[in-house]
Amino acid sequence: EELDHDRRPETYLTRGSILGGNAGSVLSGNQQTVLSELSGRPDAIIAVKTAIPYGLFILIPALITAGMSGMKLGVKWKNPAIAAKKRRMPIIAVNGVIVLVPSCFVLRSLALAGDFGTTFYAVQALELTAGAVNIALLLLNMRDGFRLRPNRRITPAGS
């Protein structure tokens, strides 16, 4: 399909594209990237790669807040799950700062230039891999966090 250069990429986000309302969410960036690639539509790829950097304004402060609060809450705990979470957080942070953030800006620039060549797909493969690693580590942290909660019995309201 031919790319319409007269339209801004953001236009495609509001015109019922396959990306729906989630296109700007960095948390679903890998999913949106794969969906846009599967569509084969350059406009969809540009929309995703243009929207993802805006999600950083939400994601980065959220990750910093979660990491800091976790470190503060777990400072005196000797639980192995806390130690594992503490070991994972620097990996998540370094992966984000060194790989994910620069990749999203490089991919945005390449997509806006219409350059979907080898460099684009090499950086995108790196980004998808690093994103998958971070998602796995964050899920492990979430799992360990749930395991630390005391077992609470939920009773119906008014009982």
Side-chain angles (χ1 to χ4, degrees):
E1 182 177 334
E2 192 66 30
L3 182 61
D4 183 355
H5 291 284
D6 294 332
R7 292 173 121 177
R8 292 180 41 158
E10 293 84 0
T11 305
Y12 294 104
L13 297 177
T14 59
R15 298 254 171 130
S17 73
I18 61 161
L19 308 172
N22 243 357
S25 172
V26 175
L27 294 174
S28 65
N30 279 14
Q31 175 189 10
Q32 297 303 329
T33 292
V34 170
L35 288 174
S36 68
E37 287 295 336
L38 289 175
S39 77
R41 294 176 36 208
D43 59 307
I45 297 167
I46 291 171
V48 168
K49 295 305 173 190
T50 302
I52 286 176
Y54 292 110
L56 295 178
F57 292 110
I58 297 168
L59 181 64
I60 290 173
L63 287 173
I64 290 170
T65 302
M68 288 175 56
S69 66
M71 288 293 200
K72 186 173 182 173
L73 289 170
V75 73
K76 294 183 181 181
W77 286 38
K78 302 295 182 209
N79 190 305
I82 296 290
K85 289 172 64 107
K86 286 180 180 179
R87 282 191 305 272
R88 290 183 203 119
M89 285 310 292
I91 297 167
I92 293 166
V94 167
N95 194 10
V97 170
I98 292 177
V99 179
L100 294 172
V101 171
S103 292
C104 89
F105 287 105
V106 168
L107 290 169
R108 179 185 186 277
S109 295
L110 292 170
L112 287 172
D115 183 356
F116 299 107
T118 305
T119 302
F120 180 88
Y121 287 105
V123 173
Q124 184 162 272
L126 177 65
E127 181 189 51
L128 287 170
T129 303
V133 167
N134 269 13
I135 289 167
L137 293 173
L138 288 167
L139 287 173
L140 289 171
N141 277 0
M142 188 171 75
R143 178 204 64 192
D144 289 345
F146 284 139
R147 287 181 177 170
L148 293 169
R149 290 177 34 168
N151 290 336
R152 295 184 184 157
R153 189 170 178 205
I154 299 173
T155 56
S159 296

